[in-house]
Amino acid sequence: MIRKILVANRGEIARRVFRTCRDLGIATVAVHSDADVHAPFVRGADFAVRLPGDAPSETYLRGDLIIAAARLAGADAVHPGYGFLSENADFARAVEAAGLTWIGPTPESIEAMGSKIRAKQIMAEAGVPILDVGIEAVTHADLPLLVKASAGGGGRGMRVVESLDQLDGELAKAEAEARSAFGDGTVFVEPYLPMARHVEVQVLSDAHGTTWIVGDRDCSIQRRHQKVIEEAPAPNLSDTARETLHSAARAAAEAVGYRGAGTVEFLVDGDRVFFLEMNTRLQVEHPVTECVTGLDLVAHQIAVAEGRPLEGGPPAPSGHAIEVRLYAEDPADGFAPQTGRIRAFDLGGTAFGIPRAPALRVDSGVEAGSEVGIHYDAMLAKVIAYAADRPSAIRMLDDALRRGRIHGVTTNTDLLRAALNDDEFTAGRMHTSLLDQRIDDWTAGVGARAVHKAALAAAVCEAARAAAFAPVLARIPAAWRNVPSGPRVRTYRRGRTEYAVTYTSQGQRLVSDYIENVSVLDARGDYVLLQDGGLRETYHVAVDDGVVDVSGPHGAFALDIVPVFVDPAEAVAQGSLLAPMPATVIAVAVEVGAQINKGDPVVLLEAMKMQHTVAAPAPGIVTALEVSVGQQVTAGAVLAIIEEKEA
């Protein structure tokens, strides 16, 4: 019987496992990097062991340190979560060799499915349909192609190839990214089906020969081949496709003698089904399956690891669940990952709970006060809505995102809401290229009028607060003048757009003609009441060190305060190429004096496990290089200076 579990992971999955452990009366142990010392998952564990360093290669990827931590803490089992070492057969063997219980499949099963190339061979032998083409035998007829990393997932090491002359270059890029992310640069190619759906099947097997098929999930809404929205059960599947998916998943699990929870992933094109890969671990999107079945998959993982049999059969799905992945990224800036301190984090719902009735579930790795750094994945939380049917779940989830208060980092909230309200999505006509096709619409953000109203609320709230906090001037209305004067102006910036809000006072009231037909009814404390035509709207405003956070009926907005006077020391030289995010410099592609063209790569950065190329915005000459390989840079740091020249 397991009494104390160490979770060899971090963030929301560590908190998720701890939740079940508490329900089962099992003590918990966290391991953490220096960057995570104050993270919520560390505080949520009964015990914690430091792994010195920040980068995953120094900490969460060091199996020897994790096993030593388990011994130090007296743990008798290790749960790997997902990512990091969760699908590392050598780590699983080392855990078992140390006399600890490994909560996962056998090392042999992990090894068999760990290489996507080998996995396809095993599936073909088991009669599971696959997609395949040899790199050396590729012809024009095989296009388009998808280059994939053999040893990993999450969209890393994946490249779409539209023409054969791109193949060598995309193979090299995929190999480099795969080597950085997984320590293995092996890649392969397969036919790319851009209009197919991505559907997966949850399996659960014990050590006594029983395999449950625990429903299916649609994961077709993806960006850069990484899932963004998942739901269960997969909507609008034909009976033929669903039966094929379930029987193929069972064959896959039995072919490798699977044990524990796992997921078999497929491409679905009409009634045709093709094997993609098997993830020998818990999936990020497992909550939607838990919601519709009522099963605690982590509890079943633990029971199977203890040698208990699966009894009876899996419950039939009931209702519908949809999950969105909330990322710290800026869709308007090429989805650049964001860092910073989270000032507010409130989405409502129940943390990590499995609802028995329509409800919102939030699995998060952060909370108000958390720091989002450059070392780890940019996902902040998973927000899951469970309801009686799919339309109800969509509506509940969209409303939760609208009402949510997330301040401190830019997120993909607007994109998620746009996707949930898209006609193709609501009709259940998803495919893996839908996000790419809709990207302009989905990243357009909220309407300009909504942002203008948020800026107005910020300005009048700041003015009212300033007057209230100045005792000598307490009886003088905000923006009051004893001689005729123009209105006061307060300027904010959101992204690349500035909002110069004008306002003045009439008696005790603040007045603004900044937005046509919008008037200020009240402003006090953190509360502002606006009237747009005949409709009253309530806003809540928080000011924090150069930033104003506004929450209202149209969502949450963070507005940077533009100072009236700019410190000359903060100015940068003309032609400066700036870092779009905090990152590590992994390559410098030019030298001082080099002539470059628009679009030529200058510096290659790595942040949150992804590589980002900073390219020349115009032709010119490199007059200065301010960084070197291995250097960590902050957002806005000068990387190079380019003297622009006409082409």
Side-chain angles (χ1 to χ4, degrees), residues 16 27 44 137 224 254 269 289-290 348 352 357 365 397 450 460 483 529 539 571 584 632 637:
R16 165 69 190 90
R224 296 176 183 167
E254 292 175 348
D269 185 15
T289 295
E290 293 186 322
F352 307 100
L397 188 51
V460 296
V483 294
L529 184 63
Y539 293 82
T584 301
Q632 289 191 0

Side-chain angles (χ1 to χ4, degrees), residues 464-478:
R465 285 164 59 95
F469 291 148
V472 175
L473 303 176
R475 296 185 180 183
I476 301 177

Side-chain angles (χ1 to χ4, degrees), residues 410-445:
T410 302
T411 71
N412 63 334
T413 300
D414 289 346
L415 176 139
L416 296 174
R417 291 196 61 206
L420 291 172
N421 286 282
D422 184 89
D423 290 343
E424 290 296 290
F425 179 82
T426 57
R429 294 190 293 265
M430 297 84 66
H431 52 79
T432 55
S433 295
L434 184 60
L435 190 150
D436 289 337
Q437 292 177 358
R438 293 284 203 271
I439 192 66
D440 289 340
D441 292 336
W442 290 3
T443 56

Side-chain angles (χ1 to χ4, degrees), residues 137-219:
V138 169
T139 68
H140 286 283
D142 297 313
L143 297 171
L145 295 169
L146 186 62
V147 181
K148 300 176 72 174
S150 179
R156 297 172 181 88
M158 298 178 94
R159 293 287 191 281
V160 175
V161 177
E162 302 284 354
S163 63
L164 291 183
D165 59 1
Q166 296 176 336
L167 183 58
D168 289 343
E170 295 302 318
L171 284 171
K173 292 177 184 176
E175 288 170 357
E177 192 166 274
R179 190 174 297 108
S180 173
F182 313 117
D184 183 345
T186 305
V187 298
F188 65 99
V189 297
E190 64 186 21
Y192 180 47
L193 303 178
M195 300 300 287
R197 293 174 62 181
H198 188 136
V199 181
E200 60 191 28
V201 179
Q202 177 72 58
V203 300
L204 190 62
S205 303
D206 63 20
H208 307 281
T210 299
T211 295
W212 284 359
I213 300 300
V214 194
D216 44 64
R217 303 183 285 254
D218 187 286
C219 308

Side-chain angles (χ1 to χ4, degrees), residues 291-451:
C291 288
V292 299
T293 62
L295 295 176
D296 184 330
L297 292 176
V298 175
H300 278 79
Q301 285 185 298
I302 294 171
V304 168
E306 291 178 321
R308 302 182 190 183
L310 295 171
E311 298 180 351
S318 175
H320 201 89
I322 304 179
E323 170 183 302
V324 294
R325 302 190 188 189
L326 186 68
Y327 283 97
E329 62 185 11
D330 187 356
D333 190 21
F335 293 92
Q338 304 292 295
T339 61
R341 181 177 65 86
I342 296 178
R343 298 187 296 273
F345 189 86
D346 182 9
L347 286 159
T350 302
F352 307 100
I354 301 173
R356 297 293 185 266
L360 189 74
R361 169 175 169 175
V362 178
D363 289 14
S364 71
V366 299
E367 58 189 19
S370 294
E371 291 285 341
V372 180
I374 68 171
H375 299 290
Y376 313 115
D377 188 87
M379 189 172 73
L380 301 177
K382 304 177 304 194
V383 188
I384 309 103
Y386 170 63
D389 51 53
R390 188 170 186 265
S392 298
I394 292 174
R395 182 173 59 197
M396 180 187 298
L397 188 51
D398 177 54
D399 186 63
L401 294 173
R402 180 180 68 87
R403 294 177 183 274
R405 294 176 60 249
I406 306 161
H407 296 303
V409 292
T410 302
T411 71
N412 63 334
T413 300
D414 289 346
L415 176 139
L416 296 174
R417 291 196 61 206
L420 291 172
N421 286 282
D422 184 89
D423 290 343
E424 290 296 290
F425 179 82
T426 57
R429 294 190 293 265
M430 297 84 66
H431 52 79
T432 55
S433 295
L434 184 60
L435 190 150
D436 289 337
Q437 292 177 358
R438 293 284 203 271
I439 192 66
D440 289 340
D441 292 336
W442 290 3
T443 56
V446 295
R449 189 175 181 85
V451 186

Side-chain angles (χ1 to χ4, degrees), residues 176 180 577 583-591 600-607 610-615 625-633 639-640:
S180 173
L577 201 60
T584 301
V585 178
I586 60 174
V588 178
V590 297
E591 296 179 349
D600 285 351
V602 178
V603 176
L604 187 62
L605 304 175
E606 184 172 79
M610 298 293 286
Q611 294 183 1
H612 307 268
T613 300
V614 180
L625 283 172
E626 304 293 341
V627 295
S628 57
V629 174
Q631 182 177 341
Q632 289 191 0
V633 296
L639 304 174

Side-chain angles (χ1 to χ4, degrees), residues 6-46:
L6 179 144
V7 177
N9 219 293
R10 65 178 300 277
E12 52 85 22
I13 183 54
R15 299 181 79 189
R16 165 69 190 90
V17 177
F18 294 161
R19 164 64 187 263
T20 290
C21 288
R22 286 194 297 272
D23 292 343
L24 298 177
I26 297 173
T28 56
V29 182
V31 289
H32 66 87
S33 67
D34 290 337
D36 279 338
V37 64
H38 299 299
F41 80 92
V42 179
R43 297 197 308 274
D46 296 313

